[in-house]
Structures are given as C-alpha cells and as structure tokens.
Amino acid sequence: MVRKLLILLLCIPLLFSACDLSGLTGTPQSVSFRNNSDSVVTISIGGQEYEIEPDSTSAIIQLENDVINSGEVELTLDGIYYYQSTRHYVLGRNEITLSPDCYWIRVKNGTEETITDLKVHLSYNENSYPRSTQNFEDAISTTVAAEEAVFIPMFEENPGKSLTLVFNANGTEASASNPDLNFESGKTTSLVLEESEDGNYSIVPWVEAEDTENTGV
C-alpha cells in the first residue's frame, strides 16, 4: 500500500507538468500576441502599452493576476484594422492571435471628372463611408477629384469578393461593380474606378498601388 502511494505521489507532478498552473499558484501568466494585419497595432493591458509590427508576434508578456478575469484578458487595441477597440481573449495558449475585425478599400478616381456622393452599396455596414485617410474618426469624404483617392472601412464578418460603389458623375447617378475581388480582414485592397468609352463604369485592381507601403494613415 505504501509503495502504491509513493508511486502516485511521484506521478502527480508529471500530470501537471504540461499545464499552466499560474492561476493556482498566483504567479504571472506568460503570453505573446500575434498581429496578423498589415499595419502596426498597439495593445494596452494593465496600464502598459506594447507596439506590435505588421504580421509579427510580440515579445512574451507577463500578465499579472489582477488583469485576468475568469480565464480571460481584456485588451484595448489601437490600429486601423481593429474597429472594436476593446476585446476579450481566452487565456490558456502561449500565443493569442488578435484577429482584425475589418479591412479597408482604397478607391482611386481614374475618371476625368470629379465624382460626388460616393458610397458603398446599402448592404454594407452603415459606417462604411469614404474617408480621406485610414482613420475611423476622419470626416466623411464623398467627393473625389480626378486622380485622387479615398479610403473606405469595411466591417463584414466574411469579406467575400463582390463590391458595388454608387456615386454621381456629371450630375447623374451611376454605379460600378466587380464580383471577383480579393478582400481579407486586416488588409487594404487598392482599387481604381474607371470609365469606358461607352460611358459605363467599372472597378479594377489598382496595380500601381500594390507595392506602396501601408503607413496606416
């Protein structure tokens, strides 16, 4: 009996060796955060701020017990792809992916006239209106001169591939669609609005903008 008890006592540490016991022992929990977007994001937690570069993982952060609530940690996010700035993440993993909740489209006016009242199709989020920069707080910018561009934040759970823009050109309401585009949360897709000789409009990828650096502004 004594022998079996000794064996059991020896095995107990092995059972817990792969577990994170910080919640039981009161010691800090170690975790790192993955920024899977193409722009810098700053996370705030426990009065501290940590900046994470695009498509990078933070250094290991020690989370004190007073910032952990029922196995979750609350972060404040400051980045162009995180419209929901306060987020909760479940602990228990060594690395937590931040998972952006929006993407941006950058639209260049490739026509020869100024377009007005630019907006996305009504099926999109009501906050998806053009801005002059990638800033959620920017004023609405629905007038776009020839060769100028605007940014539009998109908040769909599933980005899909289709986009429709509605606008006025020369005092007449017009629209342009493309059912075969590649959108991804945490990314910016650059597009150009073009006018054909027959007066119809189309949206195509803005190839010249593909290699430009995304500064987040």
Side-chain angles (χ1 to χ4, degrees), residues 123-141:
S123 64
Y124 295 106
N125 187 293
E126 62 181 2
N127 293 314
S128 296
Y129 52 77
R131 295 163 167 87
S132 57
T133 68
Q134 286 180 293
N135 184 337
F136 296 120
E137 304 302 322
D138 252 7
I140 300 174
S141 179

Side-chain angles (χ1 to χ4, degrees), residues 37-181:
S37 75
D38 68 0
S39 185
V40 173
V41 63
T42 299
I43 64 174
S44 301
I45 180 172
Q48 299 292 321
E49 287 191 350
Y50 306 89
E51 186 176 276
I52 312 176
E53 293 298 314
D55 197 26
S56 299
T57 302
S58 72
I60 296 176
I61 298 173
Q62 299 287 335
L63 300 179
E64 300 296 337
N65 288 320
D66 57 0
V67 303
I68 301 174
N69 183 22
S70 300
E72 290 186 343
V73 60
E74 179 180 290
L75 305 182
T76 300
L77 300 167
D78 183 12
I80 63 174
Y81 298 107
Y82 298 91
Y83 184 70
Q84 184 183 349
S85 59
T86 300
R87 308 273 284 274
H88 294 81
Y89 297 90
V90 177
L91 297 173
R93 301 182 300 275
N94 293 329
E95 181 179 300
I96 294 176
T97 300
L98 295 178
S99 299
D101 58 7
C102 80
Y103 62 98
W104 291 79
I105 56 174
R106 175 169 40 179
V107 181
K108 175 184 175 181
N109 178 9
T111 73
E112 296 181 352
E113 68 265 10
T114 297
I115 62 174
T116 61
D117 299 324
L118 174 67
K119 56 182 177 290
V120 294
H121 191 270
L122 295 178
S123 64
Y124 295 106
N125 187 293
E126 62 181 2
N127 293 314
S128 296
Y129 52 77
R131 295 163 167 87
S132 57
T133 68
Q134 286 180 293
N135 184 337
F136 296 120
E137 304 302 322
D138 252 7
I140 300 174
S141 179
T142 61
T143 298
V144 190
E147 298 302 312
E148 289 188 354
V150 292
F151 295 85
I152 307 176
M154 308 295 290
F155 309 104
E156 298 172 282
E157 292 184 4
N158 181 2
K161 303 181 70 174
S162 179
L163 177 72
T164 298
L165 297 176
V166 181
F167 52 93
N168 279 305
N170 296 318
T172 302
E173 185 172 294
S175 65
S177 300
N178 190 324
D180 193 26
L181 298 169

Side-chain angles (χ1 to χ4, degrees), residues 106 188-191 204-214:
R106 175 169 40 179
T188 297
T189 300
S190 296
L191 306 171
V204 298
W206 183 2
V207 179
E208 292 81 0
E210 288 182 351
D211 296 327
T212 59
E213 181 180 357
N214 182 3

